[in-house]
Amino acid sequence: AHPQCSSPPRPAGRILEFRAHGNTDRDAIASGLEASGPLITSAGIIMAIAFGALLFFGSVALNELAFILAVSVLLDSLVVRAVLVPSAMALLGAANWWPRAMPPTLDAQLR
């Protein structure tokens, strides 16, 4: 989907790659999330299903642990990684890359 970046999907890593290629901070965040979001969301759902399967065992302690793990994984993959981290990165702007200096955006290079 994104020929200019070919590393394995990691949200912050993909965002950094898109930014290093000259995209603006917001464009890099959107492209990185688009590139890695579906994989992270589906992995979180698969993990939640696996932890949810532990709910069928008779142990109360195991049921509690399974419920906590399933809910935690879903919150992490659906809320934290898909909404909160990209939102915080958009608010922080250039401060995301400190102490690294990012190259100028393509728009700035064309001016």
Side-chain angles (χ1 to χ4, degrees):
H2 297 285
Q4 64 178 338
C5 297
S6 61
S7 71
R10 297 176 326 265
R14 294 305 296 262
I15 292 168
L16 177 61
E17 287 181 33
F18 283 113
R19 179 59 187 92
H21 279 89
N23 293 318
T24 64
D25 290 328
R26 288 186 185 263
D27 288 342
I29 292 166
S31 297
L33 188 60
E34 178 187 355
S36 61
L39 178 69
I40 290 180
T41 302
S42 55
I45 291 170
I46 290 169
M47 287 179 64
I49 291 170
F51 290 135
L54 296 174
L55 290 169
F56 293 107
F57 288 97
S59 170
V60 174
L62 191 58
N63 288 346
E64 290 174 357
L65 182 64
F67 179 77
I68 290 170
L69 287 172
V71 170
S72 299
V73 166
L74 287 175
L75 281 174
D76 179 56
S77 63
L78 298 176
V79 177
V80 174
R81 294 177 193 257
V83 178
L84 296 179
V85 171
S87 299
M89 290 183 80
L91 291 173
L92 289 172
N96 288 310
W97 320 118
W98 184 86
R100 177 186 290 195
M102 280 289 127
T105 62
L106 293 175
D107 293 340
Q109 291 175 6
L110 295 175
R111 290 184 196 152

